[in-house]
Amino acid sequence: MGYIRVKEANCKNCYKCLKHCDVKSISYINDRVEVIDDQCILCGHCVNICPQKAKTVVNDPTDILRWLADPETRVVASLAPSYAGLYGRKEKGESPAHLRAALRALGFDGIEETAAGANEVTAEYKRLLDEGTMDSILTTCCPTVNTLITKYYPELIPYMAPVVSPALAHGRMIKERDGASTRVVFVGPCLSKIREIREHPESADGVLTFRQLDALLEERGIDLAAINGTGAEEEETAPPAPYSRIYPVPEGIIKDVKLNSHKGFASGSYNGYSFMSVCGLENVIAFLKEMSAGHCGRLFVELNSCEGGCVNGPLIPEERRAAFQARISVEQYAADQFEEVEPVRPALELDFKAETPSKDIPDEKTIRKILAEIGKPTPDKELNCGSCGYNTCREKAIAVYQGKAELYMCLPYMSDLAQSLSNVTINVTPNYIVAVDRDLRIVEFNQAAQKKFGVSRKEALKTELFELMDPADFEEVLATHRNIVNKKTHLESRETIIEETLVYVPEQDIVIGFFSDITEEERRKEETRRARLEAAEMAQKVIDKQMTVAQEIASLLGETTAETKVTLVNLKNQILSEGEQK
């Protein structure tokens, strides 16, 4: 099932999402953009980076709303610890307690902090550190990083801590305590949590993102500031407050592990492990590449795909996004009157499996053939400019072979091709092309014009139009911005009849003139006209002569007919009179 949907009508094929996709899990084929589900790690970059808002998250809250409306169903919210930095805006009269009150108003029967689950995860990390059997330990709290490793760096799976995320840990705690029928809904800023929880229904039942939460509060008319006057803080019975609330900021996991460890740290290391925090997907990938190459020692590494930690998660409402301020708020919230909470030790083991997506990699001959088709027959022609969204021309060629990209997504090649075709068109056409600026200075002068006027392009660009031809029509177009189309006129200086089309180009404030030499055509037309006149005169003479002859024949025929009639009448009368005599 896909978790990101593309609105085709909004997408303008700008390649921006592909440029910002660290694993290139987006395809552009036949003007259709798609997220490749089996390659996507759900970092959410493409959703937020799209200027046209063409990508939306697929997370239907229908079931959650139905549970909330059912009084027979117990629904518990597992509230991600980043909420303390996003919903505690004092200038708006908000505090974490007000959000919990708002969640109760929506119908949640219980509101607990995911930090309780994080406390259990910290205990597991401490156990792994104490055991010391893993060469290096990679935290597994971020499902985007987990997917990145299992899909693209499966050789590093042995270093992944075999521990569930805080959200799954907390869900298991709630269900073990309240019963398996209890519905657990994770509320937070993460896109990849949607898939993680959907794949682990035994731990939790659904996800409500912070964006969806804000939209739901607005739809229900629930104002956090208004709740401020209801005594929410006084009514709130705070759950145990482990320092694990520090998880959503950089080095939060490391700080929690160190604070709760029963052994001291020497020079920042523990039991031979050095500690490192890596935030931001680009940095995480760079680290994983180094680790895969064997350049890293014995480490405990906190990995988070979001730059600045979970307080800068992909599905935070934009009006609440203030990562640095949120970081300060979370750190203060975690430090205020925290309690050391004893772990309850639910089953937290998780075995990560390789999910390497199948990739059909072409051989070198095929790659070079694809590159040659876009003007890169040799490596020195490869620009590696990244305008297509891929880091190198080779990556783009491989994507073409895999059916993820169009061949002609190469902008420099298409630009060169367009420029080349444009130059060929301008210079090969038999028409004169002359372009002038507002001061009637010539800014373009093609080969046909050079030949006609006997002036080189270099000389013409230093010439004003009136030196070559009457500028009146150009002045009219510049003044009115109305084009002149197919106007017949004379080029007096060259004894030439031309048909001109003058086009105003507002972006450059210039006029381009296209001139066709129709002198020969007009000469042929004149010769044809004269020939027709001569033929008409000859035809008239023939007609007149024929009419004369016809009239003469008619006259003769008239006399002959009269004589014949008289003769026949006489003959008839004679026959009749002879009959009477007999």
Side-chain angles (χ1 to χ4, degrees), residues 263-276:
K263 295 185 178 180
F265 287 81
S267 302
S269 64
Y270 179 82
N271 199 18
Y273 292 96
S274 296
F275 289 80
M276 180 183 296

Side-chain angles (χ1 to χ4, degrees), residues 509-527:
D509 193 27
I510 64 173
V511 174
I512 303 177
F514 302 89
F515 303 94
S516 300
D517 187 341
I518 59 173
T519 305
E520 183 64 25
E521 181 182 341
E522 289 297 303
R523 184 189 63 78
R524 288 196 299 270
K525 284 182 179 179
E526 180 61 23
E527 290 179 352

